[in-house]
Amino acid sequence: MLDATTRSGGTATASPRATATELAVATAAAGPRVPAGFAARCTRILLSPWSRLSLLVVLLAAAASTVLLLEPQRLLMHGWPPQLGGAAAAVVFAAAYGVCTVAFVPRPLLNLAAGALFGSQFGLGAALAGTVLGAGTAFCLGRALGQDALRPLLRGRWLKAADGQLSRHGFRSMLAVRLFPGVPFWAANYCAAVSRMGLPPFLLATALGSVPNTAAYVVAGARASAPTSPAFLVALACIALPALAGGAVAWRKRHHLRAR
């Protein structure tokens, strides 16, 4: 009968069977280390700031290409599908509005379409809901996929001044941007995402600051068939005056930004 070890001269010698078993256990324990290390490296690469920024660029390019292929401007020429009506149509339009703003479709065009399709009241509600939805989506995408890669690039005087303003005075800065048009909607969204501004003040400032300009465009779209009506003329004035005021404020603040 063979023992696991054979004692000879006070020394214990392992049998071949025990040695083979120990080697098999050691190999099984050490085997997964190489794949695990490779998987960890791949995960770090995929989650790196520049990989996430590349993903953001790909997503935005795909969204913009999809919008160009679908041609949402056809709604202005052919109207809303007859299968949808009332509140359901406004909800669908608001969702499509938000996606279009993420894909860089100009908001004035979408606001005019909202007024032309749904009138002043429903159009304003759908446009504001789409505005907040699109701004929040762009902010979250920019914050999750682009902030870590882009913040180290904020080295210029103007970029540092804008970042500091948004980071320290986020609500009032974004409220001013929304009230006085001049900065593109998508640019303001992604600038806020790269800054230290929080999401709640960003959404609140967007909702409040977008009301006047959005209402003006929606009313203009709803009354476009009567361009000489008082409502249409007042809407045009409400579109032009904030733009002029925003230009004047930017002209006065240029020296302050350069001095920083």
Side-chain angles (χ1 to χ4, degrees), residues 111-126 218-219 221-223:
N111 293 332
L112 291 172
L117 294 173
F118 303 107
S120 299
Q121 295 181 353
F122 275 104
L124 178 58
V218 169
V219 172
R223 302 301 178 92

CSV table of all heavy atoms in Angstrom, one decimal, residues 111-126 218-219 221-223:
chain,number,residue,atom,x,y,z
A,111,ASN,N,-39.6,76.3,-33.2
A,111,ASN,CA,-40.7,77.1,-32.6
A,111,ASN,C,-41.7,77.6,-33.6
A,111,ASN,O,-42.9,77.6,-33.3
A,111,ASN,CB,-40.0,78.3,-31.9
A,111,ASN,CG,-39.2,77.9,-30.7
A,111,ASN,OD1,-39.4,76.9,-30.1
A,111,ASN,ND2,-38.2,78.7,-30.4
A,112,LEU,N,-41.3,78.0,-34.8
A,112,LEU,CA,-42.2,78.4,-35.8
A,112,LEU,C,-43.1,77.2,-36.2
A,112,LEU,O,-44.3,77.4,-36.4
A,112,LEU,CB,-41.5,78.9,-37.0
A,112,LEU,CG,-40.8,80.2,-36.9
A,112,LEU,CD1,-39.9,80.5,-38.1
A,112,LEU,CD2,-41.8,81.4,-36.7
A,113,ALA,N,-42.5,76.0,-36.3
A,113,ALA,CA,-43.3,74.8,-36.6
A,113,ALA,C,-44.3,74.5,-35.5
A,113,ALA,O,-45.5,74.2,-35.8
A,113,ALA,CB,-42.4,73.7,-36.8
A,114,ALA,N,-43.9,74.7,-34.2
A,114,ALA,CA,-44.9,74.5,-33.1
A,114,ALA,C,-46.1,75.4,-33.2
A,114,ALA,O,-47.2,75.0,-33.0
A,114,ALA,CB,-44.2,74.6,-31.8
A,115,GLY,N,-45.8,76.7,-33.5
A,115,GLY,CA,-47.0,77.6,-33.6
A,115,GLY,C,-47.8,77.3,-34.8
A,115,GLY,O,-49.1,77.4,-34.8
A,116,ALA,N,-47.2,76.9,-36.0
A,116,ALA,CA,-48.0,76.7,-37.2
A,116,ALA,C,-48.8,75.4,-37.0
A,116,ALA,O,-49.9,75.3,-37.6
A,116,ALA,CB,-47.0,76.5,-38.4
A,117,LEU,N,-48.3,74.4,-36.3
A,117,LEU,CA,-49.0,73.1,-36.2
A,117,LEU,C,-50.0,73.1,-35.1
A,117,LEU,O,-51.1,72.5,-35.2
A,117,LEU,CB,-48.0,72.0,-36.0
A,117,LEU,CG,-47.0,71.7,-37.1
A,117,LEU,CD1,-46.0,70.7,-36.7
A,117,LEU,CD2,-47.8,71.2,-38.3
A,118,PHE,N,-49.8,73.7,-33.9
A,118,PHE,CA,-50.6,73.6,-32.8
A,118,PHE,C,-51.2,74.9,-32.2
A,118,PHE,O,-51.9,74.9,-31.3
A,118,PHE,CB,-49.8,72.9,-31.6
A,118,PHE,CG,-49.2,71.6,-32.0
A,118,PHE,CD1,-47.8,71.5,-32.2
A,118,PHE,CD2,-50.0,70.5,-32.1
A,118,PHE,CE1,-47.3,70.3,-32.5
A,118,PHE,CE2,-49.4,69.3,-32.4
A,118,PHE,CZ,-48.1,69.2,-32.7
A,119,GLY,N,-50.9,76.0,-32.9
A,119,GLY,CA,-51.4,77.3,-32.3
A,119,GLY,C,-50.6,77.8,-31.2
A,119,GLY,O,-49.5,77.2,-30.8
A,120,SER,N,-51.0,78.9,-30.7
A,120,SER,CA,-50.1,79.6,-29.7
A,120,SER,C,-50.0,78.9,-28.4
A,120,SER,O,-48.9,78.7,-27.8
A,120,SER,CB,-50.7,81.0,-29.4
A,120,SER,OG,-50.7,81.8,-30.6
A,121,GLN,N,-51.1,78.4,-27.8
A,121,GLN,CA,-51.1,77.8,-26.5
A,121,GLN,C,-50.4,76.4,-26.5
A,121,GLN,O,-49.4,76.2,-25.8
A,121,GLN,CB,-52.5,77.7,-25.9
A,121,GLN,CG,-53.2,79.1,-25.7
A,121,GLN,CD,-54.5,78.9,-25.1
A,121,GLN,OE1,-55.1,77.8,-25.0
A,121,GLN,NE2,-55.1,80.1,-24.7
A,122,PHE,N,-51.0,75.5,-27.3
A,122,PHE,CA,-50.4,74.1,-27.3
A,122,PHE,C,-49.0,74.2,-27.9
A,122,PHE,O,-48.1,73.4,-27.5
A,122,PHE,CB,-51.3,73.2,-28.1
A,122,PHE,CG,-52.4,72.6,-27.4
A,122,PHE,CD1,-53.7,73.0,-27.5
A,122,PHE,CD2,-52.1,71.5,-26.5
A,122,PHE,CE1,-54.7,72.4,-26.8
A,122,PHE,CE2,-53.1,70.9,-25.7
A,122,PHE,CZ,-54.4,71.4,-25.9
A,123,GLY,N,-48.8,75.1,-28.8
A,123,GLY,CA,-47.4,75.2,-29.4
A,123,GLY,C,-46.4,75.7,-28.5
A,123,GLY,O,-45.3,75.2,-28.4
A,124,LEU,N,-46.8,76.6,-27.6
A,124,LEU,CA,-45.8,77.1,-26.6
A,124,LEU,C,-45.5,76.0,-25.6
A,124,LEU,O,-44.3,75.9,-25.2
A,124,LEU,CB,-46.4,78.3,-25.9
A,124,LEU,CG,-45.5,79.0,-24.8
A,124,LEU,CD1,-44.2,79.4,-25.3
A,124,LEU,CD2,-46.3,80.1,-24.1
A,125,GLY,N,-46.5,75.3,-25.1
A,125,GLY,CA,-46.2,74.2,-24.2
A,125,GLY,C,-45.3,73.2,-24.8
A,125,GLY,O,-44.4,72.7,-24.1
A,126,ALA,N,-45.6,72.7,-26.0
A,126,ALA,CA,-44.8,71.7,-26.6
A,126,ALA,C,-43.4,72.2,-26.9
A,126,ALA,O,-42.4,71.4,-26.7
A,126,ALA,CB,-45.4,71.3,-28.0
A,218,VAL,N,-43.3,81.2,-31.5
A,218,VAL,CA,-44.5,80.4,-31.6
A,218,VAL,C,-45.7,81.2,-32.1
A,218,VAL,O,-46.5,80.8,-33.0
A,218,VAL,CB,-44.8,79.7,-30.3
A,218,VAL,CG1,-46.2,79.0,-30.3
A,218,VAL,CG2,-43.8,78.6,-29.9
A,219,VAL,N,-45.9,82.4,-31.5
A,219,VAL,CA,-47.0,83.3,-32.0
A,219,VAL,C,-46.7,83.7,-33.4
A,219,VAL,O,-47.7,83.7,-34.2
A,219,VAL,CB,-47.0,84.5,-31.0
A,219,VAL,CG1,-48.0,85.5,-31.6
A,219,VAL,CG2,-47.5,84.1,-29.6
A,221,GLY,N,-45.3,82.0,-35.7
A,221,GLY,CA,-45.6,80.8,-36.5
A,221,GLY,C,-47.1,80.6,-36.6
A,221,GLY,O,-47.7,80.2,-37.6
A,222,ALA,N,-47.8,80.8,-35.5
A,222,ALA,CA,-49.3,80.7,-35.5
A,222,ALA,C,-50.0,81.7,-36.3
A,222,ALA,O,-51.1,81.5,-36.9
A,222,ALA,CB,-49.8,80.7,-34.0
A,223,ARG,N,-49.4,82.9,-36.4
A,223,ARG,CA,-50.1,84.0,-37.1
A,223,ARG,C,-49.3,84.4,-38.4
A,223,ARG,O,-49.5,85.4,-39.0
A,223,ARG,CB,-50.1,85.3,-36.2
A,223,ARG,CG,-50.8,85.1,-34.9
A,223,ARG,CD,-52.2,84.7,-35.1
A,223,ARG,NE,-52.9,84.5,-33.8
A,223,ARG,CZ,-53.5,85.5,-33.2
A,223,ARG,NH1,-53.6,86.7,-33.7
A,223,ARG,NH2,-54.1,85.2,-32.0
